[in-house]
Amino acid sequence: MIGNQAMTSPQSSSDRAAAAPLLEIKNLEVGFKTQRGFIPAVEGVSMRLEAGQTLAIVGESGSGKSTTAQAIIDLLPGAGKVTGGQILFEGRDLTTLAPKEMQAVRGNLIGYVPQDPMSNLNPVWNIGFQVEEAIRANGVAKGKAARARTIEVLQQAGLADAEVRLKQYPHQFSGGMRQRVLIGIGLSSRPKLLIADEPTSALDVTVQRKILDHIETLTRDYGTSVLFITHDLGLAVERADQLVVMYKGKVVESGRSVDILANPLHPYTQKLVAAAPNLASRRIQSARRPESTRKLDIASIGSVDDRMMAKADARDSGPSENLVTVDDITKIYRIRRGGFKTDELKAVDGVSFTMPRGTTTAIVGESGSGKSTVAKLMLQLETITSGSIRFDGQDVAKLKGADLLKFRRRVQPVFQDPYGSLDPVYSVGNTISEPLRAHGIGDKKSRSARVYELLEQVALPASTVNRYPNELSGGQRQRIAIARALALKPDVLVLDEAVSALDVLVQGQVLELLTDLQAELELTYLFITHDLAVVRLIADTVCVMQSGKIVERATTDEVFDNPREEYTRTLLEAIPGAHFEFGR
Amino acid sequence: MSNNLPETSQHFVADASATPVHVVDSLDETDKARSTWADAWDAMRTRPMFWIALSLIFVIVLVAVFPRLFTAEAPNSGCLLPNSNGGPEAGHPFGFTRQGCDVFARVIFGAQASLVVGLLATALVTAFGIVIGALAGYYGGFLDAVVSRVGDIFFAIPTVLGAIVLISVLPERTPVVIALVLAIFAWPQIARIMRGAVLSARSADYVTASTALGVSRFRILIRHVLPNAIAPVIVVATTSLGSFIVAEATLSFLGIGLPPNIMSWGNDIGQARTSVQTAPMVLFYPAAALSLTVLSFLMLGDVVRDALDPKARARR
Amino acid sequence: MLGYVGRRLLQLIPVFFGATFLIYFMVFSLPGDPIAALFGERPPPDSVIAAIRAEYNLDEPFIVQYFLYVGGILTGDLGTTYSGRPVEDLLAQAFPITFRLAMLALFFEAVAGILVGLIAGLRKGKLFDASALVVSLLLISVPTFVLGFILQYVFAIQLGLFRTTVGPGAPIQDLILPAIVLASVSFAYIVRLTRASVADNVGADFVRTATAKGLSRPRVVTVHVLRNSLIPVVTFLGVDIGSLMVGAIVTEGIFNINGVGGTVFRAITLGEGPTVVSFVAVMVIIYMLANLLVDLLYATLDPRIRYVK
């Protein structure tokens, strides 16, 4: 069996002598004690990772992927408990170790890079202290040497000016910088295994790429194996040799990542692969052009892309009037510094674009690019410093009183955070009917009828009316937010990162819903996102923003096929798995 | 499936029927709908402490409103000096004070003053604090600056110290006056908490969403911001009821609270102090009544906090 | 850090003037004759009234009176007691005693409170935690003056372990029992606060990361959990100094200690209004200064405050 495996896996052929895998998980069972009893989170999970290899566990939120990773070095939260199975690390069962023995494994043999860089560094200690502490605890270096090693670790993790930044505190670092510090800590004693739990999901794509490159270089240099936990199939296939797909606490499929993604066999994996937004596939681009529609037949298992493309083509593609004209808008924020000094921040700098009726305009950019400010200006939640936005012939900045109210009826928002955009003390029915009440439309009976109609439009059962947001999933909440936005029959929806917080399957469903609604109600969308891959599925025109300016504006096909600007190319390149051909 | 361990390079697929893939994002329609407040109520009513606190408070309120139900003895008349510091006897279970008055009757009649001061001061502080804190936090700007600075000034004077000064120049001391005086120095606490809660609720996405939907600013304050910001104030208000009762008792004990002709546990403790060596129980009974009252409001505050605190909710 | 200290000092100025003005206004500008009110049912001799009127410049316009009063405070002239003694003399004698008592109480409540709270927070839901919660609840509901009498009765009168009253020099051994009484309510609050804060921090991401680094459990608990949990406790200490002052009036009264609190206590019982007002004003000023110190301590504990903007 072992010989077999060495032959089929070229990377491990050099390790033929070391027969046992570095990490082997056998039938792991983990559960959580809650007030409603014991709830299993991981059921019978098995996987193995050879020395020097990279394994990725892929799954949606709640799939048990992080719990599995935490169980390895006994980092489960208080109520969590391993109830069965083995975790063999170099042949030693980690589940049976005494606390002191586990302490010697942590950091020293197995490093850990957590998910959220904002909450994983202690805010009250400086960076140098937190790195040095790890170095001393694992006996890597002592005294003055520990300080020198601290600087070295941080420099290797990509903090060039580490020496001067040792005395700084976490809140003085950006997210990407903090993640570099955490990677430095995780690798500070050159462990044999690095567990990276969604190490970049909170970061911009370009930063994500750099960080992942760093992890790759360092672990290759140190000969460290990596266990990636991720929700991103593209990232998994790009960075990992082996793949384990988890769903509801169980492994549904595992094997070489290229095999699984080219030929997914389990229905869940198939769904996941089909829903993953993807750029490189030529088929998608050709589908847009009528002359090559026959290529569609090659793979029509029903990927989200295909159906959307079909709908997009079905739409009347004749030239339509410009519903919105944005002309050279600028927004300057004044930031108070201590005392009487103020700084000016140009959040939006000379942005112009138009939105034809019934189309989708996407604004893409990284954090701080000013894309969300454009959304706020469009919604008149902030005042424009200079320039103008004309909606249906009117200058929106000049609207007041009843006219502003009328404008608000026609331009509605859907925000990113499905947990924050619904008032937790309002029932779903009250939330959806609020705009109707605020604008004094209809009586109680007709409003209630409209609420049921809207729920049907967003494909939720009528019984949802009496629910409260905390009982709904992220996707369901976002549907409610869309229903609320549609209540007044608006012309424009401003979707600010509206699908970014959702799992990929749910994201696909919401995007599909949005496309359906657009065709049905002739809606015009302003789609703000950081995720270029999603843009491909929904937008007609794309504006790429960087530091307040639009650097490139073109049709979606042009931007993806022939990006003219260096920055656009960088963004496209940074998308994990951009060049991988997904099986359908 | 245990014999089918996934090997590294082997393509393993789980039996599709073992892990059926559900329609993504379906709503479980069998669960009953639950609002935040219903959740909080559920969390409270399953705690024995909640019912213990509530029954104690019920009894105390009953005693305060209808003292005659509990004792036939008048607290002041019928005091006979020969009974001075006498022990318990038939009809007088707690014995007699130094003036020869019935201790049980005095304890029963003392409840009213404590409760009136506690409830009134809490009501005043909560109402004023909510209005001022909400307006300052929600509208910000000049109003906020003025309210915060004035609040700082009152906050710089500890409540009971301020009360000592103010009461020492007031001609009349009734329970209402004491409650007012305490409220004057205690309001900034609630106002600060309310302001903070409103500030965070104001920046929530659902408020931005409602603004963009065309809901008026004041309506958003009333319908969205206040209901979401009120929880911490309710928690602090429940607990501060106990503190006000203690404050009144302390002032009365010092001799600058309620005048001797008004029944008050603080007064009685102050009176009994002089003979604590010979008749400690005369001091003990009003002290126990006072502590029990404070304890019941504290317990209620604890249960309410656990039910409303978002962190505690998340932990459940 | 220097910027923070400067800002905090600047903020103190309006609060100082506001609070002193408020006290002065309450006493001398409310309707009615302030002197009659201050002396209650025992009108003082005319000579004392004249002295008081001169002392508080009652013949000047109100705002002038106030500024003369504040000027006095700033130059160390804190007013006159009922018997005509300068307040600052009395204060020089009484303050060291109260300071000793307060430090002892602070020591008890902080050390014991944090320790018990830490253990309870680490063992949330266990027996120790449950008993700590019950005991703290009971301690909070027994007012200081009640506990004072109970402890005095049990330990001093019945068991004879301590002296009932404190000797003239207020030696430390005599102050232990009063300090425990003074500390009890705050001790209970600190237990609850530390417990909640520790329980929160134990589940924090950075604590998990610290464990993942390979640190020992004691180090994780002290350097990461406890260190961060101290921040809300220090904030509480600021407010708590106010309750300590009220508590000092009661406790020093019960144990007959000749400190600031005991002086106020006697002045209240004897109806000596001017003494009460002068001393309470001084206490409020000390409270403000103590709070300034606590805020600076807070800033050294939390770098996010120090480096803001």
Side-chain angles (χ1 to χ4, degrees):
Chain A
M1 201 54 194
I2 285 158
N4 229 350
Q5 169 196 321
M7 261 183 281
T8 46
S9 154
Q11 287 98 325
S12 60
S13 58
S14 57
D15 300 339
R16 195 186 294 243
L22 182 71
L23 177 75
E24 182 165 17
I25 298 178
K26 286 183 180 171
N27 287 316
L28 183 68
E29 309 265 347
V30 183
F32 287 91
K33 223 170 28 191
T34 70
Q35 286 200 330
R36 273 166 285 162
F38 194 78
I39 292 176
V42 170
E43 295 172 88
V45 162
S46 300
M47 64 187 70
R48 57 196 289 176
L49 171 60
E50 307 293 334
Q53 281 209 333
T54 299
L55 171 75
I57 305 180
V58 184
E60 298 176 289
S61 41
S63 63
K65 56 185 195 301
S66 284
T67 305
T68 306
Q70 287 167 0
I72 297 173
I73 45 174
D74 192 20
L75 286 182
L76 291 169
K81 211 171 148 42
V82 173
T83 53
Q86 287 179 305
I87 300 169
L88 299 170
F89 181 75
E90 296 184 309
R92 217 161 32 133
D93 188 355
L94 297 184
T95 61
T96 61
L97 292 191
K100 269 258 180 275
E101 296 172 303
M102 182 51 90
Q103 188 187 311
V105 171
R106 290 191 198 117
N108 216 357
L109 298 175
I110 304 181
Y112 176 76
V113 179
Q115 174 168 13
D116 180 3
M118 295 326 216
S119 63
N120 273 289
L121 287 168
N122 189 333
V124 308
W125 295 112
N126 65 45
I127 297 294
F129 177 90
Q130 299 193 48
V131 180
E132 199 174 321
E133 182 184 51
I135 287 167
R136 285 174 190 273
N138 293 305
V140 176
K142 284 197 179 97
K144 278 224 163 73
R147 176 50 55 105
R149 174 76 185 136
T150 301
I151 295 168
E152 190 191 336
V153 159
L154 286 174
Q155 278 169 347
Q156 281 170 352
L159 280 175
D161 52 351
E163 206 161 347
V164 292
R165 305 203 68 166
L166 286 184
K167 288 259 179 251
Q168 291 189 326
Y169 288 89
H171 70 272
Q172 294 167 297
F173 278 54
S174 70
M177 295 290 219
R178 294 189 207 193
Q179 196 62 53
R180 283 170 203 272
V181 172
L182 287 164
I183 289 167
I185 290 172
L187 288 170
S188 60
S189 51
R190 307 198 173 192
K192 293 188 174 165
L193 172 65
L194 182 74
I195 298 173
D197 187 356
E198 303 261 19
T200 55
S201 55
L203 306 174
D204 279 328
V205 273
T206 51
V207 183
Q208 162 170 311
R209 180 163 203 90
K210 281 186 203 136
I211 299 265
L212 291 174
D213 284 348
H214 254 294
I215 294 183
E216 201 168 310
T217 323
L218 287 176
T219 52
R220 197 192 303 130
D221 291 353
Y222 297 165
T224 301
S225 303
V226 182
L227 178 64
F228 268 119
I229 314 296
T230 181
H231 66 281
D232 187 337
L233 265 180
L235 188 150
V237 70
E238 192 175 274
R239 304 285 170 175
D241 315 305
Q242 305 289 327
L243 205 60
V244 171
V245 182
M246 283 186 71
Y247 177 62
K248 295 203 167 161
K250 293 183 178 131
V251 173
V252 295
E253 194 160 350
S254 67
R256 280 182 4 121
S257 36
V258 279
D259 292 348
I260 292 182
L261 288 163
N263 183 25
L265 296 176
H266 193 276
Y268 176 73
T269 322
Q270 284 167 350
K271 274 189 164 222
L272 212 56
V273 171
N278 161 286
L279 306 174
S281 162
R282 304 309 303 167
R283 180 180 54 75
I284 297 177
Q285 284 137 26
S286 60
R288 289 234 104 172
R289 288 191 284 272
E291 66 267 27
S292 50
T293 33
R294 54 198 146 76
K295 282 193 180 169
L296 257 173
D297 299 341
I298 299 168
S300 56
I301 303 176
S303 86
V304 180
D305 310 21
D306 295 338
R307 273 176 282 154
M308 277 181 201
M309 291 307 150
K311 270 170 198 152
D313 285 343
R315 229 185 289 143
D316 185 13
S317 53
S320 51
E321 30 126 19
N322 284 335
L323 188 60
V324 178
T325 309
V326 176
D327 187 22
D328 198 25
I329 53 167
T330 298
K331 173 70 190 178
I332 295 171
Y333 288 105
R334 279 176 212 289
I335 302 165
R336 273 238 294 266
R337 298 255 158 215
F340 299 96
K341 286 173 279 179
T342 51
D343 275 6
E344 288 196 347
L345 176 80
K346 243 185 197 174
V348 174
D349 187 1
V351 163
S352 307
F353 59 91
T354 56
M355 291 167 55
R357 187 187 287 278
T359 65
T360 301
T361 305
I363 297 185
V364 187
E366 299 190 282
S367 49
S369 63
K371 57 183 192 304
S372 280
T373 310
V374 172
K376 289 206 183 91
L377 295 174
M378 177 70 74
L379 289 163
Q380 278 300 291
L381 293 172
E382 302 267 359
T383 52
I384 303 170
T385 309
S386 70
S388 73
I389 297 177
R390 299 189 80 77
F391 170 74
D392 212 5
Q394 285 174 306
D395 186 343
V396 299
K398 299 208 172 78
L399 296 176
K400 282 209 175 58
D403 287 336
L404 181 62
L405 220 55
K406 218 184 272 169
F407 166 77
R408 295 220 184 282
R409 280 179 68 163
R410 298 182 61 191
V411 180
Q412 293 281 309
V414 179
F415 291 108
Q416 165 174 18
D417 181 5
Y419 294 87
S421 65
L422 302 180
D423 186 337
V425 304
Y426 262 45
S427 72
V428 165
N430 276 335
T431 295
I432 299 180
S433 62
E434 186 184 26
L436 299 173
R437 278 176 283 134
H439 291 270
I441 293 167
D443 53 17
K444 215 169 172 186
K445 217 171 136 196
S446 72
R447 284 201 287 260
S448 150
R450 176 78 179 131
V451 168
Y452 285 115
E453 188 187 343
L454 286 162
L455 279 175
E456 205 184 314
Q457 274 181 340
V458 297
L460 282 173
S463 68
T464 322
V465 162
N466 298 317
R467 306 259 157 187
Y468 287 84
N470 63 337
E471 305 167 77
L472 305 175
S473 73
Q476 287 159 355
R477 292 178 203 220
Q478 210 55 304
R479 283 165 194 267
I480 302 294
I482 293 170
R484 172 178 61 185
L486 292 177
L488 295 167
K489 302 189 175 156
D491 298 295
V492 176
L493 283 195
V494 177
L495 303 150
D496 189 357
E497 299 274 16
V499 297
S500 305
L502 305 177
D503 276 330
V504 64
L505 290 184
V506 180
Q507 177 177 308
Q509 288 185 336
V510 172
L511 286 174
E512 210 173 321
L513 172 71
L514 286 171
T515 315
D516 285 347
L517 290 170
Q518 183 167 51
E520 199 179 315
L521 306 171
E522 241 221 332
L523 293 167
T524 308
Y525 292 154
L526 180 63
F527 193 90
I528 315 282
T529 184
H530 70 281
D531 189 349
L532 260 174
V534 171
V535 167
R536 174 112 253 203
L537 302 181
I538 188 148
D540 302 290
T541 322
V542 182
C543 306
V544 179
M545 277 189 80
Q546 185 189 21
S547 353
K549 293 194 170 88
I550 290 185
V551 294
E552 180 157 2
R553 190 178 81 224
T555 66
T556 307
D557 283 350
E558 269 168 27
V559 166
F560 281 79
D561 296 345
N562 304 306
R564 276 166 300 160
E565 292 298 316
E566 181 61 36
Y567 182 67
T568 315
R569 275 196 288 273
T570 317
L571 279 184
L572 285 169
E573 280 303 309
I575 295 172
H579 299 294
F580 190 80
E581 192 81 34
F582 282 69
R584 298 288 170 186
Chain B
M1 300 294 297
S2 56
N3 57 340
N4 197 2
L5 279 183
E7 293 300 334
T8 328
S9 44
Q10 184 183 308
H11 195 151
F12 162 85
V13 186
D15 187 355
S17 61
T19 338
V21 179
H22 299 289
V23 182
V24 183
D25 226 15
S26 61
L27 183 75
D28 182 2
E29 289 186 64
T30 55
D31 265 12
K32 72 176 169 106
R34 338 195 23 80
S35 71
T36 324
W37 296 110
D39 259 0
W41 168 244
D42 271 6
M44 289 199 292
R45 75 190 170 86
T46 51
R47 299 268 304 269
M49 200 157 109
F50 175 66
W51 295 109
I52 296 171
L54 224 53
S55 350
L56 280 173
I57 291 170
F58 177 76
V59 172
I60 293 161
V61 170
L62 206 63
V63 167
V65 180
F66 305 108
R68 295 271 170 208
L69 283 181
F70 297 86
T71 174
E73 211 66 39
N76 272 330
S77 61
C79 301
L80 298 167
L81 226 44
N83 283 338
S84 177
N85 284 340
E89 57 182 62
H92 308 282
F94 290 178
F96 298 92
T97 67
R98 199 165 158 215
Q99 284 78 30
C101 306
D102 180 53
V103 173
F104 182 72
R106 291 194 69 92
V107 167
I108 291 295
F109 278 89
Q112 199 169 37
S114 285
L115 223 57
V116 167
V117 172
L119 288 172
L120 189 62
T122 306
L124 286 170
V125 164
T126 311
F128 190 65
I130 286 179
V131 172
I132 289 289
L135 292 178
Y138 190 66
Y139 291 103
F142 181 69
L143 178 72
D144 186 24
V146 170
V147 167
S148 297
R149 291 296 84 74
V150 173
D152 282 351
I153 290 168
F154 281 87
F155 203 72
I157 303 174
T159 306
V160 177
L161 286 189
I164 288 173
V165 172
L166 186 49
I167 289 174
S168 67
V169 297
L170 288 179
E172 200 192 0
R173 298 166 193 165
T174 62
V176 175
V177 170
I178 302 282
L180 263 169
V181 168
L182 290 173
I184 285 176
F185 293 100
W187 66 268
Q189 192 201 10
I190 299 261
R192 278 184 177 191
I193 292 168
M194 190 65 196
R195 176 177 174 272
V198 164
L199 270 179
S200 72
R202 187 182 73 164
S203 59
D205 268 354
Y206 53 78
V207 169
T208 320
S210 294
T211 311
L213 291 167
V215 182
S216 76
R217 223 172 150 200
F218 186 69
R219 197 188 161 97
I220 290 177
L221 172 64
I222 300 295
R223 305 300 297 268
H224 290 288
V225 173
L226 280 186
N228 278 288
I230 204 80
V233 170
I234 294 177
V235 171
V236 174
T238 323
T239 324
S240 68
L241 221 160
S243 325
F244 285 127
I245 293 177
V246 171
E248 178 275 317
T250 306
L251 290 172
S252 297
F253 164 77
L254 289 173
I256 50 168
L258 295 168
N261 61 329
I262 296 176
M263 253 350 92
S264 151
W265 294 328
N267 271 339
D268 281 6
I269 297 168
Q271 296 285 322
R273 161 171 82 93
T274 45
S275 50
V276 66
Q277 304 215 14
T278 49
M281 292 323 269
V282 178
L283 189 146
F284 173 77
Y285 288 116
L290 173 63
S291 300
L292 198 66
T293 308
V294 177
L295 181 66
S296 34
F297 284 109
L298 270 179
M299 290 198 298
L300 184 66
D302 255 27
V303 180
V304 171
R305 176 195 317 266
D306 287 350
L308 289 180
D309 175 20
K311 274 189 212 152
R313 286 166 61 89
R315 271 189 240 119
R316 277 206 299 274
Chain C
M1 186 72 190
L2 266 179
Y4 176 78
V5 176
R7 264 205 314 283
R8 193 61 194 72
L9 276 171
L10 278 177
Q11 281 169 5
L12 189 66
I13 293 170
V15 174
F16 170 81
F17 282 103
T20 47
F21 182 83
L22 195 62
I23 292 173
Y24 200 80
F25 175 82
M26 286 189 309
V27 177
F28 293 103
S29 198
L30 286 178
D33 182 1
I35 295 186
L38 281 175
F39 288 90
E41 283 137 33
R42 297 184 302 146
D46 286 352
S47 60
V48 174
I49 293 182
I52 298 270
R53 292 198 77 87
E55 164 72 28
Y56 289 102
N57 307 291
L58 290 188
D59 299 322
E60 304 282 344
F62 175 71
I63 198 76
V64 178
Q65 292 171 26
Y66 168 69
F67 277 107
L68 287 169
Y69 165 74
V70 167
I73 289 177
L74 291 174
T75 53
D77 172 14
L78 301 174
T80 314
T81 64
Y82 182 81
S83 55
R85 254 179 99 190
V87 168
E88 54 271 25
D89 282 10
L90 209 55
L91 194 67
Q93 199 182 60
F95 184 75
I97 298 173
T98 299
F99 184 76
R100 231 179 304 163
L101 177 68
M103 284 300 122
L104 207 54
L106 266 178
F107 176 78
F108 285 152
E109 64 178 68
V111 173
I114 290 170
L115 194 70
V116 173
L118 175 68
I119 299 172
L122 291 174
R123 303 195 182 160
K124 199 158 184 289
K126 304 271 169 62
L127 182 68
F128 183 91
D129 176 39
S131 357
L133 268 187
V134 171
V135 170
S136 68
L137 216 51
L138 289 174
L139 282 180
I140 296 174
S141 37
V142 179
T144 311
F145 61 98
V146 172
L147 188 74
F149 283 123
I150 294 177
L151 294 195
Q152 191 184 41
Y153 183 76
V154 174
F155 289 100
I157 298 174
Q158 293 292 310
L159 301 174
L161 292 176
F162 297 92
R163 303 219 318 240
T164 349
T165 53
V166 173
I172 289 285
Q173 65 269 25
D174 282 7
L175 286 179
I176 290 177
L177 194 60
I180 290 174
V181 170
L182 184 52
S184 78
V185 174
S186 309
F187 161 78
Y189 276 117
I190 289 181
V191 167
R192 292 159 67 90
L193 197 59
T194 312
R195 169 188 177 270
S197 184
V198 164
D200 273 355
N201 278 327
V202 160
D205 281 352
F206 62 80
V207 168
R208 189 187 57 199
T209 303
T211 310
K213 281 184 201 172
L215 303 185
S216 67
R217 179 77 182 157
R219 188 171 168 103
V220 172
V221 167
T222 50
V223 173
H224 293 282
V225 177
L226 182 60
R227 173 66 171 70
N228 290 57
S229 305
L230 287 181
I231 295 172
V233 175
V234 165
T235 322
F236 169 78
L237 283 181
V239 185
D240 186 51
I241 291 169
S243 355
L244 277 187
M245 289 179 159
V246 177
I249 297 178
V250 171
T251 316
E252 293 188 5
I254 292 172
F255 290 93
N256 201 22
I257 302 170
N258 286 316
V260 180
T263 310
V264 174
F265 180 85
R266 272 187 302 282
I268 291 173
T269 16
L270 297 173
E272 299 176 353
T275 315
V276 174
V277 172
S278 313
F279 265 82
V280 168
V282 171
M283 285 170 113
V284 168
I285 292 165
I286 294 172
Y287 174 66
M288 279 183 248
L289 293 175
N291 257 297
L292 177 69
L293 279 180
V294 165
D295 275 6
L296 298 184
L297 179 60
Y298 178 60
T300 60
L301 280 178
D302 192 345
R304 288 164 293 186
I305 301 295
R306 247 179 292 161
Y307 290 94
V308 76
K309 278 163 217 158

